[in-house]
Amino acid sequence: MPSSLRLLIVIPVYNHRTELCRVVTDAQAFGDVLIVDDGSTDGVESDIALLSAASIRHNENKGKGAAILSASAYAKKHGYTHIITMDADGQHLAIDIPQFIAAVEMNPDSVIVGVRDFSNAEQRNIPVSATFGRAFSNFWFRVQTGEKGLDTQSGFRAYPLALLQQLSFSESRYSFEIEVLVKAVWAGLLVNWIPISVHYPEPDKRVSHLHRVKDNILISWLNTRLTIRAVLPIPHRKLVRAKPSVEENTEQFYLTRPIDSLRDMVRQGASPKYVGHSAALGILLGTLPLFGIHTIATLFAASFLRLSKVISVATSQFCMPPLVPALCIEVGYFIRNGEWLTDVSWQTLGVEFLDRAWEWILGSLVVAPILAGVTGIFFYLLTLSIYKLRQEI
């Protein structure tokens, strides 16, 4: 390991007396260990006193996030650059620690997350909540960052101390581990995923302090706040300054000056494919009758797909009434009746409003992908021509 890197293995513990000694002893074979006793009440402090590892204690239970932050303060004070966190319940295996050390050496400015193997021989002991929770959390991580998460609920991780020391966090319990990953990506850090083993004991021997109601409410509220923040056109604070890209919130697109706007975006690094997909998404969602939520849905989808929120929202404005909705109604009417709607009157638009609404929905399913495809190709070719002209200059 380079002399500039020093790793501390951190084991937060709260009433995990059964497995703690074994977990600590196994971990010590691979480096320095710090035990963070988060206000345990099961007498585990007497076991900790017999171990040779360093330890700190919270007088009351503050939560796993608080324990990790306390460990980061300790690590900084004692000259470490990174911490590796692993659970005290025996779920994580110390034999995987060398993988984290190697990953930190290769990418010291990244967060390393262990991806639990749910296909091993002990799959029968893996709780359903673990598999569902992972998929659910991975989905929201994608929405909030545009990055694909493989196991955003895994607690076996390596953090650079700069991340934990320089950013602010609102969560102190299990939800902290979601918040820190999202904010790491926003800050410009890479998240690297490495495979790890996992051990789940029999249900009657399993120790878990996850409050199904309380912690899930906290996680849901956190995801709501992070999602809202993700779609706001406000730059995030960066800890790692990467090469500027159009995906940062510096882009602008004006419907009154589309060519100039595209020139500016190409200058910032926007690719024709990126622009074309963004425009197509805006038209697709703008055409669908998402009454009252077009902009929210467009921002949400653009964030999830890592496309331009600005272009998507701007192009969706082309679909405002009356032209595109009228086209959808005509197509829907033709599908239902085999002829076009030519009688525009109070009877057809007022009295028969529900029929027209249904035809709008039906027609939009045909019109939306066609308009989106045409628009996407148009913007792709337009941006491509601008890109080629810039290269020739």
Side-chain angles (χ1 to χ4, degrees):
M1 182 185 302
S3 58
S4 59
L5 297 180
R6 291 190 63 204
L7 279 73
L8 177 66
I9 303 167
V10 173
I11 304 176
V13 55
Y14 176 61
N15 293 345
H16 290 103
R17 189 172 189 179
T18 304
E19 295 288 341
L20 180 64
C21 290
R22 180 184 63 80
V23 171
V24 171
T25 301
D26 290 348
Q28 285 180 308
F30 302 100
D32 299 338
V33 173
L34 172 69
I35 304 169
V36 183
D37 182 359
D38 188 30
S40 296
T41 58
D42 64 348
V44 72
E45 61 269 22
S46 61
D47 294 337
I48 294 174
L50 298 176
L51 295 169
S52 58
S55 66
I56 56 177
R57 175 177 168 81
H58 293 162
N59 292 328
E60 59 183 20
N61 179 248
K62 296 182 179 180
K64 189 175 184 181
I68 292 173
L69 291 177
S70 293
S72 72
Y74 174 96
K76 182 180 180 181
K77 180 180 178 180
H78 290 81
Y80 294 94
T81 59
H82 296 72
I83 62 172
I84 297 175
T85 62
M86 60 185 299
D87 293 348
D89 59 2
Q91 176 188 149
H92 302 145
L93 305 182
I95 55 174
D96 287 320
I97 292 176
Q99 291 191 80
F100 286 89
I101 296 174
V104 169
E105 291 174 348
M106 292 183 62
N107 299 284
D109 290 329
S110 65
V111 179
I112 316 298
V113 181
V115 180
R116 293 166 292 177
D117 180 9
F118 284 173
S119 63
N120 59 28
E122 294 185 338
Q123 189 175 12
R124 65 183 184 278
N125 291 331
I126 297 174
V128 174
S129 59
T131 54
F132 173 79
R134 176 160 77 175
F136 183 80
S137 183
N138 288 349
F139 169 80
W140 285 108
F141 179 76
R142 176 67 180 270
V143 170
Q144 293 149 6
T145 67
E147 300 282 349
K148 183 178 181 180
L150 299 183
D151 194 353
T152 52
Q153 289 195 333
S154 172
F156 205 170
R157 305 178 176 187
Y159 297 105
L161 289 184
L163 169 66
L164 301 175
Q165 294 287 323
Q166 296 182 38
L167 295 182
S168 60
F169 305 97
S170 63
E171 304 301 299
S172 62
R173 307 193 72 82
Y174 286 104
S175 50
F176 169 85
E177 292 183 310
I178 296 173
E179 181 185 21
V180 71
L181 278 189
V182 172
K183 290 189 174 180
V185 174
W186 288 352
L189 278 72
L190 294 175
V191 177
N192 290 326
W193 312 88
I194 62 175
I196 60 170
S197 303
V198 65
H199 169 73
Y200 282 101
E202 298 292 336
D204 59 337
K205 299 179 181 178
R206 194 176 300 147
V207 179
S208 174
H209 300 296
L210 177 69
H211 297 279
R212 293 185 180 276
V213 176
K214 180 180 178 181
D215 284 315
N216 281 316
I217 289 175
L218 290 174
I219 290 172
S220 296
W221 174 231
L222 171 66
N223 279 324
T224 300
R225 300 196 321 269
L226 291 176
T227 300
I228 293 173
R229 176 63 183 90
V231 302
L232 292 177
I234 303 172
H236 299 286
R237 180 187 176 191
K238 299 294 184 181
L239 296 183
V240 176
R241 183 59 59 182
K243 181 181 179 180
S245 90
V246 73
E247 292 178 10
E248 297 182 26
N249 294 299
T250 56
E251 56 188 41
Q252 293 181 325
F253 185 84
Y254 301 100
L255 292 177
T256 55
R257 295 190 289 108
I259 303 299
D260 290 339
S261 298
L262 289 177
R263 285 198 189 101
D264 290 340
M265 296 187 70
V266 168
R267 192 178 301 116
Q268 294 178 39
S271 68
K273 186 176 180 180
Y274 173 78
V275 172
H277 284 165
S278 301
L281 176 67
I283 294 295
L284 179 69
L285 296 181
T287 304
L288 296 175
L290 304 174
F291 308 108
I293 61 168
H294 276 109
T295 300
I296 294 175
T298 303
L299 289 170
F300 186 96
S303 178
F304 183 84
L305 297 173
R306 295 205 74 175
L307 296 175
S308 169
K309 304 182 187 74
V310 174
I311 294 179
S312 295
V313 172
T315 53
S316 71
Q317 304 308 305
F318 286 120
C319 303
M320 294 179 65
L323 184 59
V324 172
L327 177 60
C328 292
I329 291 172
E330 284 288 353
V331 172
Y333 187 90
F334 184 84
I335 293 173
R336 294 185 69 191
N337 302 287
E339 60 182 9
W340 301 107
L341 176 64
T342 56
D343 178 17
V344 180
S345 64
W346 170 249
Q347 175 66 29
T348 57
L349 298 182
V351 178
E352 299 174 3
F353 170 77
L354 292 179
D355 288 330
R356 301 296 85 79
W358 165 240
E359 287 155 4
W360 184 0
I361 296 171
L362 184 62
S364 71
L365 299 179
V366 176
V367 174
I370 295 175
L371 285 183
V374 171
T375 304
I377 292 172
F378 173 78
F379 272 83
Y380 172 83
L381 294 175
L382 183 59
T383 309
L384 182 62
S385 64
I386 294 172
Y387 181 79
K388 288 182 176 179
L389 285 174
R390 281 186 53 83
Q391 287 186 321
E392 292 173 0
I393 297 176

